[in-house]
Amino acid sequence: MFSDIWLFLKSITFIDYVFFFTVVFLIVLVVSLIYFIKINEEVIESGDSVKDPDNLRAIATAIKSQPKEPIAFTSYEQEQEDKAIISYDELLSNTGEFQLNYVDEEQKGDLSVKKIDLNNLINASVKAEPPKIEVHLISLKREEEFLQTLKELQRSLN
């Protein structure tokens, strides 16, 4: 029986071997493709889908309606959270409740330099007001000069 198999393998040419392995490869490829298609259909069927994907309100309400799962920490992350000086939850809860104490403030051109009180660094504030932003507009003449310089730069680049 083994001698017959051996004679058969010796009688097959190189092209027959290539054809045989190509057919086997294609069969494996088709089977794996069918497997991946089946897996993706199961994932799509199991998830909640929105009828109209362009309707952002429906998507937002679907996201809000799903329950929030707690974060699953690894053992290392849990150890770091336990050893931390301030935990992530405390950091989020204290956001915006503290501000630095300043002793002196100087204006140097457009720059505001503030000296921090090192003895009392943090001051608990009831409600921190958003900082007032001063907008300085450049004069019309300087703006025209700036635009002219940009045009010259564009011409020199072309």
PDB file of all heavy atoms in Angstrom, residues 110-124:
ATOM      1  N   ASP A 110       1.697  92.558  27.084  1.00  0.00           N
ATOM      2  CA  ASP A 110       0.509  91.711  26.987  1.00  0.00           C
ATOM      3  C   ASP A 110       0.545  90.573  27.988  1.00  0.00           C
ATOM      4  O   ASP A 110      -0.420  89.827  28.104  1.00  0.00           O
ATOM      5  CB  ASP A 110       0.390  91.122  25.575  1.00  0.00           C
ATOM      6  CG  ASP A 110       0.063  92.183  24.546  1.00  0.00           C
ATOM      7  OD1 ASP A 110      -0.445  93.244  24.951  1.00  0.00           O
ATOM      8  OD2 ASP A 110       0.314  91.950  23.352  1.00  0.00           O
ATOM      9  N   LEU A 111       1.647  90.441  28.723  1.00  0.00           N
ATOM     10  CA  LEU A 111       1.844  89.319  29.622  1.00  0.00           C
ATOM     11  C   LEU A 111       1.502  89.712  31.059  1.00  0.00           C
ATOM     12  O   LEU A 111       1.907  90.753  31.543  1.00  0.00           O
ATOM     13  CB  LEU A 111       3.304  88.855  29.540  1.00  0.00           C
ATOM     14  CG  LEU A 111       3.685  87.623  30.308  1.00  0.00           C
ATOM     15  CD1 LEU A 111       2.970  86.413  29.747  1.00  0.00           C
ATOM     16  CD2 LEU A 111       5.175  87.403  30.231  1.00  0.00           C
ATOM     17  N   SER A 112       0.733  88.850  31.729  1.00  0.00           N
ATOM     18  CA  SER A 112       0.384  89.066  33.129  1.00  0.00           C
ATOM     19  C   SER A 112       1.224  88.130  33.979  1.00  0.00           C
ATOM     20  O   SER A 112       1.137  86.905  33.848  1.00  0.00           O
ATOM     21  CB  SER A 112      -1.102  88.788  33.343  1.00  0.00           C
ATOM     22  OG  SER A 112      -1.415  88.853  34.707  1.00  0.00           O
ATOM     23  N   VAL A 113       2.079  88.701  34.861  1.00  0.00           N
ATOM     24  CA  VAL A 113       2.953  87.912  35.721  1.00  0.00           C
ATOM     25  C   VAL A 113       2.390  87.964  37.130  1.00  0.00           C
ATOM     26  O   VAL A 113       2.201  89.040  37.688  1.00  0.00           O
ATOM     27  CB  VAL A 113       4.403  88.453  35.699  1.00  0.00           C
ATOM     28  CG1 VAL A 113       5.303  87.652  36.612  1.00  0.00           C
ATOM     29  CG2 VAL A 113       4.934  88.485  34.287  1.00  0.00           C
ATOM     30  N   LYS A 114       2.126  86.762  37.714  1.00  0.00           N
ATOM     31  CA  LYS A 114       1.549  86.691  39.050  1.00  0.00           C
ATOM     32  C   LYS A 114       2.509  85.974  39.974  1.00  0.00           C
ATOM     33  O   LYS A 114       3.075  84.956  39.624  1.00  0.00           O
ATOM     34  CB  LYS A 114       0.211  85.948  39.003  1.00  0.00           C
ATOM     35  CG  LYS A 114      -0.832  86.625  38.152  1.00  0.00           C
ATOM     36  CD  LYS A 114      -2.103  85.829  38.115  1.00  0.00           C
ATOM     37  CE  LYS A 114      -3.142  86.499  37.224  1.00  0.00           C
ATOM     38  NZ  LYS A 114      -4.384  85.737  37.179  1.00  0.00           N
ATOM     39  N   LYS A 115       2.663  86.526  41.187  1.00  0.00           N
ATOM     40  CA  LYS A 115       3.526  85.911  42.195  1.00  0.00           C
ATOM     41  C   LYS A 115       2.633  85.078  43.110  1.00  0.00           C
ATOM     42  O   LYS A 115       1.650  85.572  43.660  1.00  0.00           O
ATOM     43  CB  LYS A 115       4.248  86.991  42.991  1.00  0.00           C
ATOM     44  CG  LYS A 115       5.211  86.452  44.008  1.00  0.00           C
ATOM     45  CD  LYS A 115       5.945  87.588  44.721  1.00  0.00           C
ATOM     46  CE  LYS A 115       6.888  87.040  45.755  1.00  0.00           C
ATOM     47  NZ  LYS A 115       7.556  88.145  46.484  1.00  0.00           N
ATOM     48  N   ILE A 116       2.998  83.800  43.286  1.00  0.00           N
ATOM     49  CA  ILE A 116       2.187  82.871  44.065  1.00  0.00           C
ATOM     50  C   ILE A 116       2.591  82.939  45.528  1.00  0.00           C
ATOM     51  O   ILE A 116       3.771  82.995  45.860  1.00  0.00           O
ATOM     52  CB  ILE A 116       2.366  81.431  43.543  1.00  0.00           C
ATOM     53  CG1 ILE A 116       1.891  81.347  42.103  1.00  0.00           C
ATOM     54  CG2 ILE A 116       1.617  80.448  44.393  1.00  0.00           C
ATOM     55  CD1 ILE A 116       2.170  80.030  41.448  1.00  0.00           C
ATOM     56  N   ASP A 117       1.591  82.907  46.412  1.00  0.00           N
ATOM     57  CA  ASP A 117       1.833  82.847  47.849  1.00  0.00           C
ATOM     58  C   ASP A 117       2.231  81.413  48.198  1.00  0.00           C
ATOM     59  O   ASP A 117       1.410  80.506  48.173  1.00  0.00           O
ATOM     60  CB  ASP A 117       0.560  83.257  48.601  1.00  0.00           C
ATOM     61  CG  ASP A 117       0.757  83.276  50.102  1.00  0.00           C
ATOM     62  OD1 ASP A 117       1.907  83.158  50.560  1.00  0.00           O
ATOM     63  OD2 ASP A 117      -0.259  83.414  50.821  1.00  0.00           O
ATOM     64  N   LEU A 118       3.512  81.200  48.530  1.00  0.00           N
ATOM     65  CA  LEU A 118       4.003  79.852  48.795  1.00  0.00           C
ATOM     66  C   LEU A 118       3.545  79.312  50.149  1.00  0.00           C
ATOM     67  O   LEU A 118       3.555  78.108  50.368  1.00  0.00           O
ATOM     68  CB  LEU A 118       5.535  79.822  48.714  1.00  0.00           C
ATOM     69  CG  LEU A 118       6.102  80.095  47.319  1.00  0.00           C
ATOM     70  CD1 LEU A 118       7.610  80.136  47.358  1.00  0.00           C
ATOM     71  CD2 LEU A 118       5.634  79.047  46.336  1.00  0.00           C
ATOM     72  N   ASN A 119       3.142  80.176  51.062  1.00  0.00           N
ATOM     73  CA  ASN A 119       2.675  79.709  52.367  1.00  0.00           C
ATOM     74  C   ASN A 119       1.247  79.171  52.292  1.00  0.00           C
ATOM     75  O   ASN A 119       0.895  78.236  53.004  1.00  0.00           O
ATOM     76  CB  ASN A 119       2.758  80.839  53.394  1.00  0.00           C
ATOM     77  CG  ASN A 119       4.197  81.253  53.638  1.00  0.00           C
ATOM     78  OD1 ASN A 119       5.106  80.441  53.553  1.00  0.00           O
ATOM     79  ND2 ASN A 119       4.405  82.545  53.902  1.00  0.00           N
ATOM     80  N   ASN A 120       0.404  79.787  51.499  1.00  0.00           N
ATOM     81  CA  ASN A 120      -0.974  79.330  51.277  1.00  0.00           C
ATOM     82  C   ASN A 120      -1.170  79.151  49.778  1.00  0.00           C
ATOM     83  O   ASN A 120      -1.626  80.051  49.093  1.00  0.00           O
ATOM     84  CB  ASN A 120      -1.993  80.354  51.804  1.00  0.00           C
ATOM     85  CG  ASN A 120      -2.018  80.396  53.308  1.00  0.00           C
ATOM     86  OD1 ASN A 120      -1.789  79.386  53.942  1.00  0.00           O
ATOM     87  ND2 ASN A 120      -2.279  81.574  53.858  1.00  0.00           N
ATOM     88  N   LEU A 121      -0.818  77.969  49.291  1.00  0.00           N
ATOM     89  CA  LEU A 121      -0.889  77.749  47.848  1.00  0.00           C
ATOM     90  C   LEU A 121      -2.313  77.690  47.332  1.00  0.00           C
ATOM     91  O   LEU A 121      -2.654  78.317  46.340  1.00  0.00           O
ATOM     92  CB  LEU A 121      -0.166  76.445  47.470  1.00  0.00           C
ATOM     93  CG  LEU A 121       1.341  76.501  47.454  1.00  0.00           C
ATOM     94  CD1 LEU A 121       1.912  75.137  47.166  1.00  0.00           C
ATOM     95  CD2 LEU A 121       1.818  77.498  46.432  1.00  0.00           C
ATOM     96  N   ILE A 122      -3.157  76.939  48.008  1.00  0.00           N
ATOM     97  CA  ILE A 122      -4.492  76.687  47.471  1.00  0.00           C
ATOM     98  C   ILE A 122      -5.543  77.373  48.327  1.00  0.00           C
ATOM     99  O   ILE A 122      -5.517  77.303  49.542  1.00  0.00           O
ATOM    100  CB  ILE A 122      -4.773  75.174  47.403  1.00  0.00           C
ATOM    101  CG1 ILE A 122      -3.772  74.513  46.468  1.00  0.00           C
ATOM    102  CG2 ILE A 122      -6.183  74.900  46.931  1.00  0.00           C
ATOM    103  CD1 ILE A 122      -3.893  73.019  46.411  1.00  0.00           C
ATOM    104  N   ASN A 123      -6.481  78.015  47.660  1.00  0.00           N
ATOM    105  CA  ASN A 123      -7.586  78.684  48.319  1.00  0.00           C
ATOM    106  C   ASN A 123      -8.875  78.035  47.837  1.00  0.00           C
ATOM    107  O   ASN A 123      -9.137  77.984  46.642  1.00  0.00           O
ATOM    108  CB  ASN A 123      -7.569  80.173  47.955  1.00  0.00           C
ATOM    109  CG  ASN A 123      -8.704  80.925  48.597  1.00  0.00           C
ATOM    110  OD1 ASN A 123      -9.255  80.504  49.598  1.00  0.00           O
ATOM    111  ND2 ASN A 123      -9.052  82.056  48.007  1.00  0.00           N
ATOM    112  N   ALA A 124      -9.659  77.507  48.784  1.00  0.00           N
ATOM    113  CA  ALA A 124     -10.937  76.905  48.395  1.00  0.00           C
ATOM    114  C   ALA A 124     -11.892  78.020  48.012  1.00  0.00           C
ATOM    115  O   ALA A 124     -12.153  78.927  48.785  1.00  0.00           O
ATOM    116  CB  ALA A 124     -11.514  76.089  49.542  1.00  0.00           C
TER     117      ALA A 124
END
